[in-house]
Amino acid sequence: MHPPRPGRSPDPPAASHSAAPRPEFPPPAAAPPPLRLLVADDNPVVRAGLTALLSGRSDTTVVAEARDGREAYEAAVRFRPDVILLDVRMPGVDGISALPHLVGLAPVMMLTYSHETETVREALRLGAGGYLVHGEFTTEQLVRAVRDVREGRPHVTPGAARALLADLRGGAPAHAAAQSPMISGDSTPLPLSQLQPPMGESFRSRFRLSTREAEIMDLIASGMTNQQIAAACFISEKTVKNHINRIFAKLHTTTRSQATAKWLGVA
């Protein structure tokens, strides 16, 4: 080893090249636990199909099944599901009879083949958070509807909505138009009042609303909010607002109450 040259400082020791500490990132957020569902239907094929469908996903699972309203109540007390999927027609205690006892335990979604007007109205009046008719929804729509019902946002498939609209169009005393729409809170619909007075479609044809606009105007007249209309028609709230703007323009109105009065023939 040679001595350092005169007048020159010794070379400093080599710096350590240890790797700089990497920033710590928070761990990925854990996926929410799956929604726990109770399926009540007297048809074993339907129960098995729904259980296989909903338990095969990461976001839903079926924790219990029931063959009638009594079994549904006992299972709901025991398992405390997040949402109850309830058929209407079952032997023993049917879905409508069991509904008032179930809604205090968990949100209830009617899931059935029945779409008679009185049945739909009674189910909603008794507290069902939604009404889905078999064959009118996809798996993704069912899961979305179940999640929405848990959060207090109602869902009604087209068959059930048509039953309610048919009831509205069936004719009622004109004085019913002065009654307040029967909507509980911001989400759960109660029976829709028969607001429309007896009149033919010719009266309304002068407004030149499209079929969809007429449907939405009927829902407005029944007292539904934009959110409820969006759920009933399976469209976004933005689309509902666009339809309402066009409806107001055609009816030459600026508010829901003015539009309803004109639509019902009491303005």
Side-chain angles (χ1 to χ4, degrees), residues 149-203:
V149 165
R150 187 193 183 195
E151 300 299 325
R153 297 187 293 271
H155 264 266
V156 182
T157 49
R162 281 194 296 270
L164 296 175
L165 290 173
D167 187 47
L168 278 170
R169 292 168 178 154
H175 67 78
Q179 299 175 0
S180 298
M182 298 180 68
I183 299 293
S184 173
D186 294 329
S187 58
T188 306
L190 292 176
L192 298 179
S193 302
Q194 293 180 336
L195 298 176
Q196 182 182 334
M199 63 182 69
E201 290 299 320
S202 58
F203 170 84

Side-chain angles (χ1 to χ4, degrees), residues 229-251:
I229 294 171
C233 299
F234 280 106
I235 57 178
S236 69
E237 286 189 57
K238 181 179 179 181
T239 301
V240 172
K241 291 177 182 177
N242 291 338
H243 281 303
I244 291 176
N245 288 337
R246 289 193 290 270
I247 290 169
F248 284 180
K250 291 180 179 180
L251 269 61

Side-chain angles (χ1 to χ4, degrees), residues 29-61:
L35 271 181
R36 304 171 69 256
L37 308 176
L38 163 61
V39 174
D41 196 299
D42 66 306
N43 188 327
V45 175
V46 173
R47 286 200 314 273
L50 287 171
T51 298
L53 181 71
L54 297 170
S55 291
R57 300 174 57 94
S58 62
D59 51 357
T60 56
T61 187

Side-chain angles (χ1 to χ4, degrees), residues 11 24 37 41 53 76 83 91 101 116-117 120 181 189 203 210 253 259 265:
D11 293 334
E24 293 186 6
L37 308 176
D41 196 299
L53 181 71
V83 178
H101 306 280
E116 292 82 1
T117 301
V120 177
F203 170 84
S210 68
T253 58

Side-chain angles (χ1 to χ4, degrees), residues 35-156:
L35 271 181
R36 304 171 69 256
L37 308 176
L38 163 61
V39 174
D41 196 299
D42 66 306
N43 188 327
V45 175
V46 173
R47 286 200 314 273
L50 287 171
T51 298
L53 181 71
L54 297 170
S55 291
R57 300 174 57 94
S58 62
D59 51 357
T60 56
T61 187
V62 175
V63 296
E65 299 178 21
R67 294 172 296 181
D68 63 19
R70 186 180 300 279
E71 284 190 8
Y73 178 79
E74 293 170 352
V77 170
R78 179 180 178 186
F79 292 97
R80 295 292 174 174
D82 296 314
V83 178
I84 299 170
L85 303 181
L86 183 66
D87 189 19
V88 170
R89 293 196 176 96
M90 296 182 288
V93 180
D94 62 41
I96 297 297
S97 299
L99 187 54
H101 306 280
L102 295 173
V103 292
L105 300 174
V108 177
M109 167 74 79
M110 307 307 293
L111 189 59
T112 179
Y113 288 100
S114 306
H115 53 77
E116 292 82 1
T117 301
E118 288 301 320
T119 302
V120 177
R121 291 205 318 154
E122 187 67 3
L124 297 178
R125 186 185 72 83
L126 291 174
Y131 200 107
L132 271 59
V133 178
H134 285 296
E136 296 186 345
F137 53 85
T138 65
T139 301
E140 292 304 321
Q141 287 171 335
L142 171 60
V143 172
R144 185 182 72 186
V146 167
R147 290 196 171 277
D148 282 350
V149 165
R150 187 193 183 195
E151 300 299 325
R153 297 187 293 271
H155 264 266
V156 182

